[in-house]
Amino acid sequence: MLRELFLLFTCMAWVEFAIHFSPWIKNISQNVEIYTPTTFQYPVSLNTYNGEHTRLLQNLQRSSGKWDSTHPRHRLLTALHGYTCYKDKSLAEVDKWRNLYKNVPKRQRTLLESTIHYTRKINTIEHLLDTNAKLSRSMVDYGLSFYNISQSELDEFIKESESQQRSADRTSVSQGMKHFVRDWADEGHEERQQSFGCILNSLAQMPRTKERPLRVLLPGSGLGRLAHEVDKLGGFDVTMNEWSAYMNLAYRYVSSLSVPNSVQFHPYIDWWSHHATTDDLQRSITFPDEVIHPSSVLLVEGDFTTVFAEHTGLYDIIVTLFFIDTARNLITYLETIHRLLRPGGRWVNLGPLLYGTAPFVQLSLDEIVALSASMGFEFQETDPAIGNVTLSGLPVRGLEVAYGRNGRGLNKNAYQAQYWEAVKR
């Protein structure tokens, strides 16, 4: 009886969905008027690069808001603490591997040493850590200069943190540095093509002029490669946004480099699984594959849902790449996207639904579409070449996209990412 009731209520819910939301989910072709910037008057001007830097430094002052772990300066110092302690944390991990090796019986260790030189492998990894530590230190030094923070303030913060047993976050540091591969190294090219291609193809077809460019916002921009690729298309005024201080430190650093492939590090030595050869494990990667000009793309640091409070109706396009599932409150993300777009503005999304730690709600794809439609989005037909329709009757397409993959690794880290374009009514 319970099963029958469940099926009845499920059918009723889908009928309700069809009645209320079908007028908004339309299979319609793109309307050129949606993209024509001359049909819309912008309410305010975007900040300049220098102006945003000034605002950022003001926002970082201790007197700006309550001083706790959520304060922008506290979060920045926490990230600087992490990068500062990269070598010590990594060496501690190597020591753990050495101690675990001692549990192998002597006879077996003799065999390992005579055939594959396992101790030498550990020693080599320890040596290669010096290269990564040099990169991490360079990132800290540039960060201190860019954000106008003294070494003594950082030292005091680290001392206080350790006295309160707030350990440096090794995982966030490792992830931040690995994004140099995904965003700014030759090895990440194929991965970028998989995820950037459909977005850039769509944006490239949008009518625009250099005299009156379309305004594009990319929240959750990470190390910013997609934002700079959009900028290279021409005719776009590009703003990127990132909350993570670990990512922002990495982006500020890579933006400071003036010579292509001038920095070398070993991104895979902190995880020994899924390697075909030890040489693959220990190999180096150079970056950036091209020099970037940070002033051509504006980075606004901070919480996407609050930092653009004065930008209501300002953007022609919002691009969310691997972003919406990072929300603590997904509803607030959707409301913010809708608020920031002008009438007729377009929301372009690609990503999985991999919810993080303790999200307030965890919605399935059909629920996200229904909720977005109820907020005032019309979902548009997209190029069938992108991928197959995921849910019958809904113009959302799925495609396999790699993320943070080791190109020579024996594992396959990928998602069936969901692509859609929706217009704000």
Side-chain angles (χ1 to χ4, degrees):
M1 183 66 180
L2 288 176
R3 175 180 172 82
E4 286 75 8
L5 285 172
F6 173 77
L7 291 173
L8 175 62
F9 283 121
T10 300
C11 292
M12 291 174 63
W14 275 107
V15 170
E16 188 77 1
F17 171 88
I19 292 173
H20 288 285
F21 300 137
S22 59
W24 295 311
I25 305 175
K26 299 179 179 179
N27 298 333
I28 60 175
S29 60
Q30 294 179 347
N31 184 340
V32 170
E33 289 184 359
I34 289 172
Y35 308 116
T36 306
T38 56
T39 65
F40 179 72
Q41 296 298 316
Y42 298 113
V44 295
S45 298
L46 287 173
N47 293 334
T48 63
Y49 177 81
N50 290 332
E52 177 58 27
H53 190 207
T54 299
R55 185 205 67 81
L56 174 62
L57 294 182
Q58 291 174 345
N59 193 45
L60 285 171
Q61 295 299 313
R62 284 178 179 258
S63 58
S64 175
K66 180 182 178 181
W67 180 251
D68 57 19
S69 61
T70 65
H71 191 285
R73 194 179 193 88
H74 195 288
R75 292 192 300 104
L76 176 59
L77 288 166
T78 298
L80 288 166
H81 179 195
Y83 283 110
T84 297
C85 294
Y86 169 83
K87 185 172 183 178
D88 289 342
K89 287 284 184 180
S90 299
L91 288 176
E93 192 72 7
V94 173
D95 286 341
K96 184 182 76 173
W97 297 337
R98 276 203 183 94
N99 289 329
L100 288 171
Y101 184 40
K102 293 176 182 178
N103 293 310
V104 177
K106 183 176 181 181
R107 176 184 60 80
Q108 295 175 350
R109 290 205 308 271
T110 300
L111 177 62
L112 283 166
E113 295 303 324
S114 64
T115 55
I116 64 172
H117 310 289
Y118 194 77
T119 297
R120 185 172 67 188
K121 178 179 180 177
I122 295 176
N123 292 340
T124 299
I125 295 295
E126 184 176 58
H127 174 70
L128 295 179
L129 284 171
D130 288 339
T131 301
N132 289 9
K134 180 180 178 181
L135 166 59
S136 184
R137 184 65 238 183
S138 296
M139 293 168 65
V140 171
D141 289 341
Y142 186 79
L144 293 174
S145 173
F146 182 86
Y147 293 103
N148 195 24
I149 294 175
S150 67
Q151 182 65 54
S152 59
E153 180 183 357
L154 176 58
D155 291 342
E156 184 61 30
F157 180 85
I158 292 174
K159 181 180 178 181
E160 178 184 346
S161 296
E162 293 179 347
S163 69
Q164 298 177 4
Q165 297 184 330
R166 297 199 306 264
S167 179
D169 185 348
R170 178 173 175 267
T171 300
S172 294
V173 168
S174 178
Q175 290 176 347
M177 293 171 69
K178 278 186 170 66
H179 270 70
F180 287 132
V181 181
R182 172 175 166 79
D183 274 29
W184 296 107
D186 287 334
E187 182 156 325
H189 177 76
E190 182 179 352
E191 187 172 309
R192 294 194 296 271
Q193 287 293 102
Q194 289 181 9
S195 56
F196 293 3
C198 53
I199 296 172
L200 294 175
N201 288 340
S202 178
L203 267 60
Q205 297 172 26
M206 297 182 181
R208 60 201 186 276
T209 64
K210 291 184 178 179
E211 293 72 25
R212 196 67 179 274
L214 296 177
R215 290 180 168 173
V216 184
L217 173 62
L218 298 94
S221 53
L223 266 61
R225 184 58 180 260
L226 178 58
H228 284 271
E229 292 298 324
V230 172
D231 181 61
K232 284 163 60 176
L233 293 174
F236 292 106
D237 189 341
V238 183
T239 300
M240 55 185 273
N241 162 248
E242 177 58 53
W243 180 84
S244 168
Y246 294 90
M247 293 294 183
N248 287 330
L249 280 167
Y251 174 75
R252 299 299 186 185
Y253 174 74
V254 75
S255 300
S256 73
L257 302 175
S258 58
V259 180
N261 293 315
S262 55
V263 180
Q264 172 184 303
F265 78 117
H266 306 272
Y268 305 113
I269 58 176
D270 59 351
W271 196 41
W272 290 22
S273 299
H274 306 303
H275 292 282
T277 70
T278 299
D279 285 343
D280 286 346
L281 164 70
Q282 298 174 354
R283 75 186 187 277
S284 65
I285 298 296
T286 59
F287 73 93
D289 61 328
E290 63 180 61
V291 174
I292 63 176
H293 303 285
S295 59
S296 67
V297 173
L298 186 69
L299 169 59
V300 177
E301 300 187 24
D303 182 357
F304 169 63
T305 64
T306 59
V307 77
F308 296 103
E310 299 179 359
H311 287 194
T312 296
L314 186 61
Y315 296 96
D316 299 287
I317 306 159
I318 292 180
V319 177
T320 52
L321 174 66
F322 280 73
F323 175 67
I324 63 171
D325 53 349
T326 67
R328 193 75 187 276
N329 186 346
L330 177 56
I331 318 305
T332 304
Y333 268 23
L334 300 181
E335 289 177 340
T336 304
I337 292 169
H338 189 269
R339 178 178 63 81
L340 295 179
L341 282 170
R342 66 171 177 84
R346 182 163 292 246
W347 172 27
V348 181
N349 176 81
L350 176 66
L353 295 178
L354 176 65
Y355 294 108
T357 303
F360 295 164
V361 293
Q362 301 182 63
L363 304 183
S364 55
L365 176 60
D366 60 331
E367 292 171 331
I368 292 174
V369 173
L371 187 63
S372 300
S374 73
M375 290 180 176
F377 281 108
E378 291 184 352
F379 283 73
Q380 309 286 288
E381 275 290 355
T382 54
D383 188 348
I386 291 171
N388 295 326
V389 170
T390 304
L391 298 172
S392 179
L394 298 180
V396 178
R397 299 185 180 276
L399 63 155
E400 185 174 289
V401 176
Y403 193 93
R405 181 185 294 175
N406 175 358
R408 300 185 193 176
L410 302 180
N411 65 325
K412 184 179 182 181
N413 183 29
Y415 301 96
Q416 190 68 13
Q418 300 302 304
Y419 180 84
W420 66 73
E421 298 185 22
V423 172
K424 175 181 175 178
R425 290 199 307 273

